[in-house]
Amino acid sequence: MEKISRRRFLKGTVALGAGALLSIYSDGSFRLALAQENPAFRMRILHTNDHHARIEPVFSGNNPVHGGVSRRKALIDKIRRETAMPTLLVDAGDVFQGTLYFNQYNGMADLEFYNAIGYEAMAVGNHEFDKGPQALVDFITRAKFPVLSANIAVAAGNPLAGLIKPRTIIEKDGRKIGIFSLTPEDTGVLSNAGSGISFTSAIEAARQQVAALKAEGVFTIIALTHVGINVDRQIAREVGGMSLIIGGHSHTPMGPMNNVRTPPYPELIAGPDGKPVVVVTDWEWGRWLGDITVAFNAAGTVIDLQGNPTEILPSLPADQGFENRIAVFRGPLDQLRARVVGATAVDLDGNRTNIRSRETNLGNLVAEAMLAKARNSGATIAITNGGGIRASIPAGPVTVGQILEVLPFGNTLALVTLTGAQIIEALNNGVSQVESGAGRFPQVAGLRFTYDPSLPATSRVTSVTVDGKPIDPNADYVVVTNNFMLTGGDGYSVFTRGRNQVDTGFILADVVEEYIAANSPVNPAVDGRIAIGAAPATTPAQPETPTQPVPATLPNTGGELAPLAWLAGLGVAALAGGAALQRSERE
């Protein structure tokens, strides 16, 4: 077992029935023994996901609050030194995209750190295709660990052919640990995979890989997935033979990582064979290090687990070698970050949850900048995908670097003529997956619309007005969007059926930079152009409660444990096959 600090002592033990015991410790960690039998094998699993080029810590204003690869490295090294049992370190995908480091180095800077940290396997995420297949080819060929996906089909002659393996087997203390990975089925519309690459059923691929790994005589099977927690839960319930699912893609904070206590870290879900499947994910951006210790019986079934993810705080020690390398990589970026182009009088809200579920002032600013640039070409409406907006900007000076972090994809402005009916179809696509936080949510200018999330996904838009009048389904409108959406990205296939399609070549980040410079200080507001409900959008929309359990503020640490009886009740629910054990939140 791992070493236990002097501050970590047993607070209580609860009998859960069916031979299971829940033990709670003073630091908020737990042990859940699912069966009273001696384990045949124990393993400690460390995991991350959705790194998104966060080489440096996540900042709030000028203050680091979470993460950074140098602190991650120091913490992982410490755990490995202090842990007697085998350890496994994996990443569930989306290493690419999100900061200037990716714009400058195409993932190669991140790879240097991942190789040095000693990752042992990684899933292919959808953002790994953002710059087409070649950037992923370069990453895989230089990686010192397998980069996996079982549901990507690559045609012969494509540069990725033969490079992405569906599964791997990693040996720990003589035990063969089988690992397979999955990528979102809709990556073709979420990213830029290009021709010759397709994405097949995640469920069917999981079944095939479990069968293949069993045939290869593995001791236990781990699914390392980048399909989102809801699909992970479906796989757990429908595909037998796995012991753990370690996921990413949905950016879901579990248990202690958020302020709302749900979902727990980990979840336990009964598989179709009745055996427990452990489901974990690690939020995003290296804010935390996922950490779970699992014991198996001789058949490779989970019988005991301990969970204790660690928040990567600025107070943690940093690896000095990594800090030195970061300084080298940062040099060219600092020049971009330093060039001021204007100012904003208010905080510009690009929060992931908000930008993908409601109108925000930053979404309005980006859409208005697009429309201003395209008015001379006849555009009267702008529609852009919230998922293309990747960061917020605090009030004060605005730099080129901040704009590139908000709009890192290098998209260009595109024009298309659509009928009013096609615009309604586009907006319906945009709000069709709002409950899952999909990036297709539309940020708009030149129109106002209302949608009702309780309606069927294809018909949620209840009102659209242009210049204060209902949109005419039969009239033509020139719409400015981005080149990704013009080609059907994020499900906007209706744009591919529009007339007079033109890619202007204007880079969206440059357009927004120009707009801010011309209108500085900018002061955009939420004005009700997007409303939720059955009535027309005539008054400013009120903020809605996020549908996804993400924190409104960054979590604090330290505090009291939840009552043992409450934890016990959740443990019983876990054994019944539902959403499992809730670690106490750190207030």
Side-chain angles (χ1 to χ4, degrees), residues 216-520:
E216 294 178 49
V218 300
F219 172 71
T220 199
I221 296 173
I222 297 172
L224 181 64
T225 70
H226 192 84
V227 292
I229 196 165
N230 289 331
V231 180
D232 287 338
R233 291 164 176 156
Q234 181 185 3
I235 292 170
R237 294 185 179 104
E238 296 183 14
V239 182
M242 296 167 295
S243 57
L244 291 95
I245 298 176
I246 300 170
H249 185 52
S250 56
H251 294 243
T252 304
M254 302 186 85
M257 304 171 198
N258 60 35
N259 296 333
V260 293
R261 301 181 182 271
T262 56
Y265 181 97
E267 286 189 335
L268 290 180
I269 295 177
D273 53 6
K275 295 179 180 179
V277 181
V278 179
V279 178
V280 290
T281 187
D282 189 38
W283 195 6
E284 65 183 8
W285 304 352
R287 296 178 186 267
W288 289 65
L289 176 67
D291 186 352
I292 188 164
T293 299
V294 185
F296 303 88
N297 64 15
T301 301
V302 176
I303 59 170
D304 187 296
L305 62 147
Q306 299 178 57
N308 196 20
T310 301
E311 190 174 5
I312 309 298
L313 293 167
S315 57
L316 292 179
D319 182 275
Q320 192 55 51
F322 271 32
E323 289 287 285
N324 294 340
R325 283 296 290 158
I326 291 170
V328 173
F329 284 122
R330 190 170 54 227
L333 308 185
D334 285 343
Q335 297 177 27
L336 278 176
R337 286 171 169 156
R339 186 161 69 85
V340 175
V341 298
T344 174
V346 294
D347 292 341
L348 300 177
D349 181 11
N351 175 275
R352 176 187 171 90
T353 301
N354 297 341
I355 204 76
R356 295 168 178 240
S357 65
R358 66 188 68 166
E359 174 191 355
T360 80
N361 65 347
L362 181 55
N364 289 351
L365 183 146
V366 171
E368 293 290 352
M370 295 168 67
L371 188 53
K373 186 70 173 178
R375 280 196 189 278
N376 289 341
S377 299
T380 58
I381 292 169
I383 304 175
T384 194
N385 54 327
I389 298 172
R390 308 298 289 191
S392 299
I393 298 177
V398 178
T399 66
V400 173
Q402 288 174 308
I403 295 171
L404 289 174
E405 289 184 342
V406 168
L407 300 165
F409 294 102
N411 292 133
T412 53
L413 253 60
L415 296 168
V416 61
T417 300
L418 300 176
T419 66
Q422 289 175 317
I423 290 171
I424 295 170
E425 182 181 344
L427 295 174
N428 269 312
N429 170 71
V431 299
S432 64
Q433 298 180 16
V434 64
E435 53 272 279
S436 65
R440 65 187 62 195
F441 186 86
Q443 298 291 332
V444 301
L447 61 75
R448 301 164 74 91
F449 76 93
T450 303
Y451 78 97
D452 185 346
S454 68
L455 295 176
T458 56
S459 56
R460 290 177 170 177
V461 174
T462 58
S463 170
V464 182
T465 60
V466 178
D467 293 330
K469 300 176 182 179
I471 195 168
D472 183 347
N474 299 311
D476 286 340
Y477 300 85
V478 178
V479 178
V480 58
T481 184
N482 62 65
N483 63 320
F484 171 67
M485 294 168 65
L486 184 68
T487 56
D490 265 346
Y492 283 91
S493 59
V494 63
F495 285 164
T496 67
R497 306 196 302 273
R499 294 179 289 111
N500 305 320
Q501 298 178 23
V502 177
D503 185 335
T504 70
F506 293 125
I507 297 172
L508 180 54
D510 292 345
V511 168
V512 172
E513 177 187 334
E514 178 183 299
Y515 182 85
I516 292 173
N519 295 279
S520 184

Side-chain angles (χ1 to χ4, degrees), residues 60-144:
S60 176
N62 294 320
N63 301 312
V65 291
H66 273 159
V69 293
S70 59
R71 287 176 176 81
R72 192 192 311 179
K73 168 70 156 55
L75 177 61
I76 290 169
D77 286 350
K78 180 176 183 291
I79 289 172
R80 283 170 166 158
R81 287 194 306 269
E82 296 179 353
T83 304
M85 72 186 76
T87 61
L88 175 69
L89 175 62
V90 295
D91 187 276
D94 270 8
V95 169
F96 284 14
Q97 194 61 264
T99 73
L100 296 180
Y101 284 93
F102 182 71
N103 292 63
Q104 184 76 16
Y105 300 111
N106 293 339
M108 291 299 102
D110 306 271
L111 179 61
E112 178 177 320
F113 295 118
Y114 267 53
N115 279 337
I117 290 172
Y119 276 86
E120 296 172 81
M122 172 189 150
V124 175
N126 52 292
H127 282 286
E128 266 68 77
F129 290 96
D130 278 357
K131 290 201 172 181
Q134 189 58 50
L136 183 54
V137 168
D138 295 341
F139 187 95
I140 293 174
T141 55
R142 292 167 173 81
K144 296 180 180 179

